Amino acid sequence: MAAKVNHDVCVGCESCVGACPVSAISVDGGKASVDAGTCVDCGSCVSTCPVSAISQ
């Protein structure tokens, strides 16, 4: 199961991009996007997001 981004809350700060150990997150159109096929469900992005826009 991959992390999920709430696009209504995401501010596009890219904190999660740097936190992801497998580079499964990118920012497109000002919002984070998780590649479910690459995500290893480690939770690094969840704890890094300053606006709590990512959940597992």
Side-chain angles (χ1 to χ4, degrees):
M1 185 138 154
K4 292 179 177 54
V5 178
N6 180 338
H7 291 131
D8 292 333
V9 177
C10 178
V11 295
C13 70
E14 299 189 18
S15 292
C16 55
V17 175
C20 183
V22 294
S23 302
I25 307 175
S26 59
V27 174
D28 302 310
K31 304 291 178 176
S33 178
V34 177
D35 179 352
T38 305
C39 179
V40 294
D41 204 29
C42 69
S44 292
C45 57
V46 175
S47 59
T48 301
C49 182
V51 294
S52 300
I54 306 174
S55 61
Q56 286 181 296

